[in-house]
Amino acid sequence: MDKNQLIVIFYKLLDGYKINIDKMKNKPEGKCGYAHSSPVGVRMDLIWISDYLRKNGTDTSKLESDFKSTDDQLIEFKANNSAEYYKNVLCDFKSLAEDYDPSSILIDGYEFEYEIERRTYIEMFYRELKGVYDLDADMEKVRQLDEVLQKTIPQAVKAGTYTPLDWPYIPKEYWWRHLEESYGKPDFLPD
């Protein structure tokens, strides 16, 4: 993935971030969580892409400026609605963590990517909530399921359901997002 592709992705994500912030501000009362309109994941992707590009020699001042003007809206919302914001992110975290099922990666490529994406969001939400809530017990269960994921990946490679989408800008501690390093590209992807 080259620099220009990442910049295009950045601006598409930034548009989505703006939409998600608006949806968050107008969320119906009584509904728990932000679900697919949560700004947490998109925000992390934007930060990671900007950091990755900067570390690889790209002038990111315009990207960072464009991001900051939108990000300030989230920061303001969190400052004025802290309890509501964190309660909803917690709902999203709990929902994702409870539904995390690494064995489903054997079903097909869609399920493979869906569970990898789910695991990414669990981690993002956990990091957003760390220090606000004690989620150690939840994360211990997730880490136990990560062991299942690690044991199931070779089976998915053999079954042909292995469809990694490695994103170079995601930090290495999100190991499930860097599977090509260990398992190579699946047969159906061009070199």
Side-chain angles (χ1 to χ4, degrees):
M1 187 171 300
D2 71 20
K3 170 181 96 166
N4 293 329
Q5 289 172 309
L6 282 175
I7 291 171
V8 168
I9 290 169
F10 179 91
Y11 280 104
K12 286 182 180 182
L13 287 170
L14 187 60
D15 289 341
Y17 188 43
K18 293 171 187 174
I19 291 167
N20 287 358
I21 290 171
D22 287 339
K23 285 181 179 178
M24 179 191 66
K25 290 176 180 177
N26 299 305
K27 186 182 90 53
E29 286 294 319
K31 183 180 175 216
C32 187
Y34 299 122
H36 298 293
S37 61
S38 174
V40 174
V42 181
R43 181 177 192 271
M44 290 308 307
D45 278 329
L46 289 164
I47 291 169
W48 291 339
I49 290 171
S50 180
D51 287 348
Y52 179 83
L53 288 169
R54 186 176 53 261
K55 288 176 186 171
N56 286 284
T58 301
D59 178 6
T60 58
S61 54
K62 174 143 177 42
L63 276 75
E64 290 169 5
S65 173
D66 293 344
F67 170 73
K68 184 177 180 339
S69 65
T70 301
D71 197 47
D72 285 346
Q73 295 176 43
L74 178 64
I75 292 167
E76 180 182 344
F77 182 85
K78 284 169 58 173
N80 295 329
N81 305 280
S82 180
E84 174 191 350
Y85 172 79
Y86 287 112
K87 179 188 84 159
N88 282 293
V89 174
L90 179 64
C91 284
D92 289 333
F93 169 83
K94 293 277 189 182
S95 173
L96 288 169
E98 288 169 8
D99 291 342
Y100 180 43
D101 179 13
S103 66
S104 71
I105 69 171
L106 294 172
I107 296 171
D108 60 30
Y110 173 80
E111 287 298 326
F112 186 98
E113 180 56 29
Y114 188 77
E115 282 307 309
I116 296 297
E117 185 75 4
R118 179 191 312 271
R119 180 60 183 92
T120 303
Y121 274 88
I122 290 169
E123 192 69 27
M124 289 175 177
F125 290 149
Y126 169 69
R127 291 175 186 219
E128 180 73 2
L129 296 167
K130 197 174 182 177
V132 178
Y133 297 103
D134 180 4
L135 300 172
D136 292 343
D138 297 277
M139 286 308 290
E140 181 55 35
K141 290 177 189 171
V142 168
R143 289 187 185 99
Q144 288 171 2
L145 288 169
D146 282 347
E147 292 175 20
V148 173
L149 178 64
Q150 288 174 323
K151 291 175 184 172
T152 309
I153 290 169
Q155 296 170 33
V157 171
K158 286 179 189 171
T161 63
Y162 168 63
T163 58
L165 292 177
D166 286 3
W167 297 96
Y169 63 84
I170 295 178
K172 296 293 183 190
E173 61 262 25
Y174 289 71
W175 58 266
W176 54 90
R177 273 297 185 203
H178 300 283
L179 297 176
E180 284 186 17
E181 294 173 9
S182 299
Y183 299 99
K185 284 187 177 183
D187 294 337
F188 61 86
L189 289 179
D191 287 328

